[in-house]
Amino acid sequence: MKYVYMIGVLAATLICTNAFAQHASPKTPVKMPVVAQQQELLMDCNLAARNSLISGDIKRVEDMCTKAMNVMEESYPDRGYMINPMLNLAFTYSLIGDFDKADPLLARAKKLGEKFFKPESSEMKSINDLIEDYNKRKGKPAQFDKSGVSSPH
């Protein structure tokens, strides 16, 4: 069952990452390294969230996604780039049953999504689908138990 949720989040992440991707502009080549670093930060956040299912390192997900949210919000306050890391972190919290931490992140992501995207957009559909899936899991036992994870080395 956790793989179904992971596939859903991965699909939403890919849609959001594509939607939030910074378009390269030939007029501003000086800013490209900054954009590339920020894109890498978003990818690291996505990977950290995915790998938390394997490694159980929730602290790494918190650190990476919080950093990505802050950098994206500071760098692009007029765009929705910070939504993706919020959703990744909220999803991770929901897997460990920490719904009190996930709720405000999802509410904020939805509010920002409504600010930046049209109601019928694929981005809002992805956000709403993730929230709907989250609400189905809410109140049920955690789907992820760190104690059952073994280190590969």
Side-chain angles (χ1 to χ4, degrees):
M1 191 65 175
K2 69 180 175 184
Y3 296 111
V4 172
Y5 295 123
M6 195 58 208
I7 290 170
V9 167
L10 184 58
T13 299
L14 291 174
I15 290 168
C16 289
T17 302
N18 185 39
F20 303 148
Q22 178 72 12
H23 296 289
S25 171
K27 297 178 184 178
T28 56
V30 176
K31 292 187 178 186
M32 289 304 291
V34 173
V35 171
Q37 290 172 1
Q38 291 165 346
Q39 288 288 340
E40 186 174 336
L41 184 59
L42 283 175
M43 288 175 50
D44 287 346
C45 175
N46 292 341
L47 289 172
R50 185 197 70 195
N51 291 339
S52 70
L53 290 174
I54 299 166
S55 69
D57 190 357
I58 302 304
K59 178 73 172 133
R60 176 165 160 41
V61 180
E62 288 176 320
D63 292 345
M64 188 60 64
C65 289
T66 301
K67 180 181 178 183
M69 283 186 292
N70 293 337
V71 167
M72 293 299 137
E73 195 159 19
E74 184 178 310
S75 301
Y76 301 102
D78 58 339
R79 299 190 185 202
Y81 297 145
M82 71 291 291
I83 295 171
N84 185 284
M86 280 180 203
L87 294 176
N88 279 325
L89 187 54
F91 177 75
T92 301
Y93 284 144
S94 74
L95 288 179
I96 61 172
D98 200 343
F99 298 106
D100 290 338
K101 288 184 179 178
D103 283 338
L105 288 169
L106 288 172
R108 186 161 179 241
K110 183 170 179 143
K111 185 176 179 180
L112 287 169
E114 290 168 345
K115 176 181 174 183
F116 293 116
F117 307 115
K118 294 180 181 178
E120 67 278 356
S121 69
S122 63
E123 294 86 355
M124 279 309 299
K125 181 178 179 348
S126 295
I127 292 169
N128 289 328
D129 288 349
L130 189 92
I131 292 171
E132 182 181 329
D133 183 54
Y134 166 82
N135 287 330
K136 289 177 186 174
R137 282 194 315 277
K138 192 172 180 180
K140 295 181 181 176
Q143 302 233 323
F144 176 76
D145 179 9
K146 184 178 174 180
S147 65
V149 177
S150 61
S151 174
H153 299 294

